[in-house]
Amino acid sequence: MDTFTTFVRDLKKLPAEEKEKIIEEKKTKCICPTCPSYNKCAIVEREKLFCMIGQSFLCISFEEGCKCKECPISKEYGLEYKYYCTRGDEKGQRYLNSVWGSTLE
């Protein structure tokens, strides 16, 4: 089992308060605000950590560039995808790849 899958499996077992604490800690390492696709709306709404919590709900709808592969979170957990702000989290993109058999590049 890879690092990301193990992390998600272990996170699911935790109480909600502990999950939130871990997510908040991961947000401190997040580089989303340095990405070309990150915009003023995302700053105001404090959207971050798309790789783990999913795509932008309100703000980001255009891909202007991507730094996901440079992110310490991506490296720490061996994330395979990118453009999480518009395409969804790692878990979702892995699922779609398993169903459709291809990746969006």
Side-chain angles (χ1 to χ4, degrees):
M1 194 173 309
D2 69 11
T3 307
F4 177 74
T5 303
T6 301
F7 172 74
V8 171
R9 186 195 66 211
D10 294 345
L11 193 64
K12 283 177 64 173
K13 296 176 186 176
L14 298 174
E17 312 83 51
E18 287 186 49
K19 286 180 195 177
E20 185 62 31
K21 187 176 178 182
I22 290 169
I23 293 298
E24 288 304 314
E25 184 271 324
K26 298 296 178 203
K27 284 182 179 181
T28 65
K29 297 178 182 178
C30 179
I31 66 165
C32 289
T34 70
C35 187
S37 296
Y38 203 79
N39 58 33
K40 290 179 184 178
C41 176
I43 293 168
V44 170
E45 296 299 326
R46 299 184 315 177
E47 292 186 335
K48 278 185 165 184
L49 206 64
F50 302 111
C51 61
M52 293 196 173
I53 58 178
Q55 70 190 53
S56 174
F57 183 70
L58 297 170
C59 300
I60 303 170
S61 55
F62 298 102
E63 296 175 351
E64 306 271 340
C66 184
K67 288 189 170 185
C68 292
K69 297 292 184 181
E70 299 170 28
C71 183
I73 300 291
S74 181
K75 292 174 182 175
E76 180 179 357
Y77 293 102
L79 304 186
E80 301 170 9
Y81 296 92
K82 59 183 182 176
Y83 284 109
Y84 300 110
C85 59
T86 57
R87 300 179 187 179
D89 63 4
E90 178 77 10
K91 184 177 169 185
Q93 288 193 54
R94 285 185 183 195
Y95 172 76
L96 288 174
N97 183 49
S98 72
V99 171
W100 298 107
S102 65
T103 60
L104 294 172
E105 287 295 326

